[in-house]
Amino acid sequence: MDHVPENSPSPSPPRPWTAPRLGPDDSLLKDLTPPQREAVLHGEGPVLVLAAAGSGKTRVITRRIAHLLGQGVKPWQILALTFTNKAAGEMRERIGHLLEHSASGAGPVRGLTVTTFHALCARLLRKYAEAAGLKPDFTIYDSDDQSKLCKKVIEGLQLSTANFPPRSVLSAISRAKNELMDAESFAARATDFSSKNVARVYKAYAAALRNANAVDFDDLLLLTARTLERNAQVRGECQARWRYLLVDEYQDTNRAQFLIAQMIAGDGSAPKSGLPGAGDEDDAAGAAAPPKTARGKGPNICVVGDPDQAIYGWRGADISNILDFEEGYPGCRVITLGENFRSTAPILEAADTLIRHNKRRKHKDLFTSRKGGEKPEATLTSNEKAEARVVADWLKSRHEAGAAWRDMAIFYRTNSLSRVMEESLRAFNVPYTIARGTAFYDREEVRNALGYLRVVANPADGVSLSRIINTPARGISKTTQEALEALAQRDEMPMMEACRGAGQIADLNARAVVAVAKFVSQIDAWTGGGTFMGADISGSLADLVDRVIRESGLRAMYVAQASASKSETDAERVDNLDELVSSARQFEQEYDATADAANDPLAADGLVDTPPLLALLRAYLESIALVADADSVDPTQGSVTLMTLHAAKGLEFDSVAIIGMEEGLLPHSRAISMPVAGDAELEEERRLCFVGITRAMKRLLMTSAKYRTIRGIPERTIPSRFLGEIPDNAMVVSDQSESFAEDYDAPAGGWGNDASRNVGSRAAPRPSSGFGGSNANAGQAPPWGASSSSSPARGPSSEFPVGSKVRHPQFGVGIVESISGGASPRAVIRFKDIGSKTMVLEYARLVRVQP
DNA sequence: GTTGCCAAGTTTTTT
DNA sequence: ACTTGGCAAC
């Protein structure tokens, strides 16, 4: 399928400028296809680049930036926005490389802004804190902090957390924030009892955040968008500074991000002297003018994306931002990059046939001029362990064939699938790393340490304060804390202030008052009484972190735990705390190297007088708050990478295995169970699968397990409809499950002709034997199951009548004493040695012992 | 005030 | 199965 690249649709319009004959630009244009070149050279005015998977998108963006710089555009006039730190870092690096190699003497790329939406917003909000209604030293709350705060708020409103689970209330609030709806407008739309209460929570939650001097992730975007919208001066300053805006992965922008980009781009007129015409370039700093082109072509906004790779709809991303871009920017140039330089033809063909099943889509031809290549493989295994073995084995054989570990990856829909895979890789001695950037900072001990640091940086941070005020135990009990909270609430002051005034609380005993006072003076010692100066303050972040971990007693607490329990994990906790100190030290060093706050026109005004140590601490905490899983992917490591399909976006690997290609997992059950308009969610799942497939350069393996153990119970599965949508002759299909399942009525012949076809054709009601049906397999022993005389315990409670003999994998044989019904039936079972225990039948893995 | 045990929710994807 | 939060005993 080697098509000839079509000519660019526009009948060769006169180039906006004559092609530069500078040496550097020749190297920038080398190896580019005509459409790529067009995108790189596009002058002023809006441009939409529809970049198919593997079409050299990053290359186009980086070369375009390098080209702009080569044309005399000042680095600080360019703003490039991405979704992950990793993408931003990579882009920065590649631009640096390009400039190094071009002899243009472009110099360092100081002031060039290449960052994520969230990091940009954090920065803008610190600089324009006042306009945004914030204090510049705000803390960024992650979802855990959000939950805690939200829960407190719900309780404060006398609502039950059973009827209003913080998680789901938060997701409603998040959705509202993504739509730029504040608490008032949300309340205005609320009609029913439930949403009216959610509106109340929203309002109180927003107030609580401000009171804690904190923002959540959504606030970063929402408040920035609102500030830009309402404050002409802020908007003007941003527009004056950034004259060229580039947005990567534009298909994944939500409404807030769309507006932020739109407002920074402005309408294309120069902010202060908007005179159109040649030579009009003005800029506030009086620097040299960028290349001459007629003004009035509209804003210099360049967005790059691919509607077929839109996978964040669930997070409020609005695909119409990219689909309707042309309407929002009339006269914008549209450039389509369709040629794929990444994958072999057979892999590309599989991807293409799959994505063609999406109805709501702008079709783009995917093509490559490369010939040959192996067909993708699709393998059915008997269970997830066999699947993991097959994958490990496959990777090994690839390695033996000469591929480096770092060029291989395993993708899955949900994080929970990684565990079995890990075990297998360990057993096979395959080096691997899991892309889970946040894992380290999510550990209890690290969160506790960070809790202290956050209180040090922002004493108003109530969530962090309540986490650490009595960890380790220092005699500040729950009742004491409640008394402090009541005081804080009454006098509308932050918790930390209330702590200082503990002595005034009448019904607090002397011991508690002393304990609180001691705690307060401890914090003061670290902050130098808020000055972050003085003889006791070293000025080093790592030293501060180390001090806090030791002097708080945290480290001692975990050391004691470790020696008491002798458990591996407790010893690890101490190591992790030490690791945190190293991470701070590393940050400190890198920060010193890159900090250009002094040169940065955007340096936060509100923080000019911030002591350096405090500034460093805040930057450190912010960098932690904004890490993503995908950020930790480090290709220099010689190991196989494991990650979710979402995290895989934007990456490429020589060999890719996608595991868990099953109904309910790859089209995730959440996307199938509630069919929304036009199967939108199902189509997003298909795009997710498409993203996974198109990451593979040379080899692709997709696996499906007949049985998968979910939360401890083996479930029969159905191969993913997506496998059925790729013709069998386009893949190498193999069924490796037979050997394990002789005694099982396996549907022979894989997915080409059976269940998946029926299921896949339409989102019709699936047969009750489908994925997730807990009784689907009642009475049938899974091939690897327990002894032949038993069946897995997952049916109704009638399987275990009172008096029957059962076997528990851990406790041995016992007698059922009583059964309780309900949603999750439980049984009281008396075991021989242990005595009676209550267990949930569904999970207990009980096996009936025949009388 | 602290420690230990039980009950409940949990697992879709992320800045 | 596994973690987390609330309650009861020490």
Side-chain angles (χ1 to χ4, degrees):
Chain A
M1 47 169 0
D2 31 356
H3 308 198
V4 177
E6 52 196 316
N7 285 325
S8 62
S10 42
S12 60
R15 290 250 184 262
W17 59 57
T18 50
R21 287 180 229 309
L22 302 159
D25 264 306
D26 287 343
S27 75
L28 287 180
L29 297 179
K30 153 181 101 180
D31 308 330
L32 295 184
T33 61
Q36 287 180 332
R37 192 175 292 223
E38 189 186 351
V40 169
L41 291 175
H42 171 82
E44 312 223 317
V47 56
L48 163 66
V49 181
L50 291 167
S55 62
K57 181 191 67 166
T58 311
R59 173 184 254 206
V60 164
I61 299 180
T62 51
R63 296 224 195 167
R64 178 170 163 75
I65 291 173
H67 172 74
L68 287 171
L69 293 172
Q71 294 292 302
V73 174
K74 295 294 165 210
W76 43 265
Q77 293 180 309
I78 299 174
L79 171 63
L81 291 174
T82 64
F83 278 84
T84 65
N85 295 304
K86 177 156 186 293
E90 232 163 53
M91 206 174 277
R92 228 176 283 126
E93 193 181 326
R94 285 176 68 164
I95 294 165
H97 261 95
L98 282 174
L99 295 180
E100 237 168 64
H101 292 310
S102 74
S104 69
V109 217
R110 227 171 168 72
L112 178 69
T113 316
V114 182
T115 187
T116 65
F117 269 103
H118 286 85
L120 173 79
C121 290
R123 244 168 109 188
L124 287 174
L125 289 177
R126 293 204 200 280
K127 179 170 167 81
Y128 300 113
E130 203 179 326
L134 296 171
K135 280 186 253 168
D137 58 348
F138 59 81
T139 297
I140 300 170
Y141 273 5
D142 66 21
S143 58
D144 195 64
D145 304 318
Q146 287 181 56
S147 291
K148 291 212 163 110
L149 185 63
C150 189
K151 191 170 170 234
K152 217 174 243 181
V153 163
I154 290 168
E155 282 162 355
L157 291 172
Q158 311 285 324
L159 295 167
S160 109
T161 48
N163 293 336
F164 295 91
R167 286 259 162 228
S168 49
V169 175
L170 273 172
S171 85
I173 294 175
S174 172
R175 240 172 293 135
K177 285 186 176 180
N178 284 330
E179 297 291 315
L180 297 172
M181 234 190 280
D182 57 21
E184 284 71 37
S185 40
F186 187 91
R189 287 193 200 195
T191 48
D192 57 304
F193 173 81
S194 169
S195 60
K196 273 183 181 162
N197 278 318
V198 172
R200 287 174 63 209
V201 177
Y202 185 176
K203 195 170 172 217
Y205 169 74
L209 276 175
R210 285 312 88 80
N211 195 38
N213 191 18
V215 299
D216 63 20
F217 284 129
D218 299 313
D219 279 343
L220 288 173
L221 302 175
L222 168 76
L223 297 177
T224 304
R226 218 169 52 192
T227 306
L228 284 168
E229 193 172 41
R230 295 186 185 165
N231 191 311
Q233 191 186 339
V234 172
R235 193 170 61 239
E237 282 182 36
C238 288
Q239 290 174 357
R241 169 165 180 188
W242 290 304
R243 309 293 284 277
Y244 294 84
L245 174 60
L246 295 97
V247 186
D248 192 16
E249 307 284 10
Y250 193 69
Q251 77 282 353
D252 286 328
T253 50
N254 64 23
R255 174 131 194 92
Q257 289 159 330
F258 166 80
L259 277 172
I260 290 165
Q262 190 185 56
M263 285 184 294
I264 291 178
D267 60 6
S269 60
K272 294 216 171 100
S273 80
L275 296 172
D280 68 316
E281 293 300 331
D282 98 299
D283 65 57
K292 291 291 160 287
T293 28
R295 268 282 180 185
K297 290 177 147 223
N300 301 323
I301 177 171
C302 169
V303 304
V304 185
D306 179 5
D308 285 338
Q309 294 182 66
I311 53 175
Y312 285 103
W314 53 274
R315 222 171 86 186
D318 187 353
I319 197 167
S320 52
N321 287 344
I322 192 165
L323 294 177
D324 302 340
F325 186 80
E326 296 170 67
E327 280 149 47
Y329 292 93
C332 96
R333 186 183 301 198
V334 182
I335 298 168
T336 304
L337 308 179
E339 181 170 1
N340 180 297
F341 301 99
R342 179 186 295 151
S343 308
T344 61
I347 290 172
L348 206 56
E349 192 189 331
D352 189 52
T353 49
L354 175 70
I355 202 65
R356 278 171 188 269
H357 283 80
N358 273 4
K359 303 235 157 54
R360 289 188 52 219
R361 139 165 218 267
K362 238 183 191 175
H363 179 73
K364 260 186 322 304
D365 272 321
L366 285 177
F367 56 92
T368 177
S369 44
R370 289 209 226 162
K371 307 221 192 244
E374 305 287 328
K375 281 185 186 177
E377 296 161 64
T379 301
L380 182 66
T381 70
S382 50
N383 59 37
E384 74 278 3
K385 288 189 178 160
E387 173 185 56
R389 253 190 322 258
V390 164
V391 171
D393 198 47
W394 185 76
L395 295 175
K396 268 209 136 155
S397 69
R398 301 261 60 229
H399 188 245
E400 278 153 23
W405 293 124
R406 76 170 74 87
D407 295 327
M408 308 181 198
I410 302 169
F411 303 152
Y412 33 78
R413 177 66 232 266
T414 64
N415 276 310
S416 55
L417 295 194
S418 70
R419 213 196 194 112
V420 181
M421 201 62 243
E422 282 180 75
E423 283 165 19
S424 169
L425 293 175
R426 243 172 291 152
F428 275 68
N429 277 322
V430 173
Y432 68 91
T433 24
I434 303 189
R436 256 197 310 231
T438 56
F440 177 73
Y441 299 106
D442 278 342
R443 291 164 185 270
E444 175 202 303
E445 64 277 15
V446 176
R447 285 192 75 96
N448 285 335
L450 290 174
Y452 277 98
L453 292 171
R454 283 162 41 143
V455 170
V456 164
N458 170 18
D461 182 349
V463 171
S464 296
L465 185 67
S466 62
R467 165 183 281 277
I468 51 102
I469 192 166
N470 201 33
T471 310
R474 54 169 68 85
I476 305 177
S477 72
K478 212 170 75 181
T479 43
T480 305
Q481 289 178 47
E482 275 162 9
L484 291 167
E485 249 163 68
L487 176 68
Q489 206 136 63
R490 198 197 62 193
D491 292 0
E492 286 183 340
M493 56 177 164
M495 264 292 271
M496 200 63 197
E497 287 310 306
C499 291
R500 291 180 196 282
Q504 302 157 22
I505 302 175
D507 44 28
L508 220 55
N509 67 40
R511 266 169 75 142
V513 173
V514 171
V516 173
K518 214 174 145 200
F519 173 73
V520 170
S521 69
Q522 178 73 89
I523 303 271
D524 283 345
W526 292 325
T527 65
T531 64
F532 287 85
M533 315 251 221
D536 281 357
I537 313 289
S538 85
S540 151
L541 177 65
D543 286 356
L544 175 67
V545 176
D546 190 53
R547 254 190 96 181
V548 165
I549 287 171
R550 287 171 196 280
E551 293 175 10
S552 65
L554 257 193
R555 198 171 184 286
M557 179 179 95
Y558 287 114
V559 168
Q561 265 181 35
S563 64
S565 72
K566 301 253 186 290
S567 93
E568 193 73 21
T569 51
D570 282 334
E572 246 171 52
R573 291 180 195 277
V574 180
D575 294 341
N576 286 332
L577 288 178
D578 295 341
E579 179 63 33
L580 187 69
V581 178
S582 317
S583 111
R585 181 158 290 121
Q586 195 188 335
F587 178 84
E588 195 164 18
Q589 280 158 6
E590 285 169 14
Y591 184 84
D592 274 341
T594 60
D596 52 356
N599 291 359
D600 186 352
L602 198 72
D605 290 348
L607 297 172
V608 223
D609 298 328
T610 305
L613 177 59
L614 180 55
L616 194 57
L617 174 61
R618 283 177 186 152
Y620 176 59
L621 292 174
E622 179 172 306
S623 76
I624 290 170
L626 297 178
V627 287
D629 284 357
D631 294 338
S632 70
V633 180
D634 182 0
T636 59
Q637 302 230 327
S639 56
V640 176
T641 310
L642 275 68
M643 67 180 104
T644 64
L645 284 160
H646 282 88
K649 189 181 69 169
L651 306 176
E652 63 180 21
F653 297 88
D654 198 88
S655 305
V656 165
I658 305 177
I659 63 174
M661 294 283 299
E662 292 142 32
E663 287 294 302
L665 215 46
L666 191 34
H668 195 271
S669 48
R670 286 272 233 278
I672 321 174
S673 54
M674 34 170 165
V676 229
D679 279 344
E681 296 195 18
L682 179 63
E683 297 208 343
E684 181 155 310
E685 296 289 312
R686 193 177 279 111
R687 291 195 291 269
L688 196 50
C689 187
F690 174 81
V691 165
I693 293 174
T694 52
R695 301 308 97 195
M697 299 164 79
K698 292 185 184 146
R699 298 288 293 256
L700 173 66
L701 170 66
M702 291 175 281
T703 58
S704 177
K706 264 187 197 167
Y707 282 90
R708 187 170 297 278
T709 304
I710 295 167
R711 290 211 217 66
I713 57 167
E715 307 249 31
R716 182 74 239 253
T717 72
I718 295 172
S720 169
R721 70 189 69 191
F722 298 150
L723 285 172
E725 288 169 3
I726 302 170
D728 277 0
N729 64 15
M731 306 184 284
V732 177
V733 178
S734 79
D735 184 344
Q736 299 191 25
S737 69
E738 308 288 3
S739 53
F740 289 92
E742 288 98 2
D743 57 346
Y744 181 71
D745 61 331
W751 39 78
N753 51 8
D754 62 324
S756 66
R757 274 287 146 76
N758 303 333
V759 171
S761 54
R762 206 50 284 211
R766 288 185 294 130
S768 63
S769 64
F771 189 90
S774 59
N775 287 332
N777 200 37
Q780 284 168 344
W784 63 90
S787 70
S788 55
S789 64
S790 62
S791 71
R794 90 185 88 97
S797 48
S798 62
E799 267 187 71
F800 302 103
V802 174
S804 60
K805 232 184 195 180
V806 295
R807 185 197 312 273
H808 185 273
Q810 204 185 327
F811 305 124
V813 176
I815 305 279
V816 178
E817 286 193 314
S818 69
I819 296 261
S820 72
S824 52
R826 287 141 222 262
V828 178
I829 295 152
R830 181 197 296 282
F831 293 101
K832 256 199 209 124
D833 312 314
I834 306 116
S836 291
K837 279 203 159 285
T838 309
M839 32 190 60
V840 180
L841 285 177
E842 199 182 343
Y843 298 121
R845 297 233 235 179
L846 290 174
V847 163
R848 176 111 183 241
V849 180
Q850 298 299 41

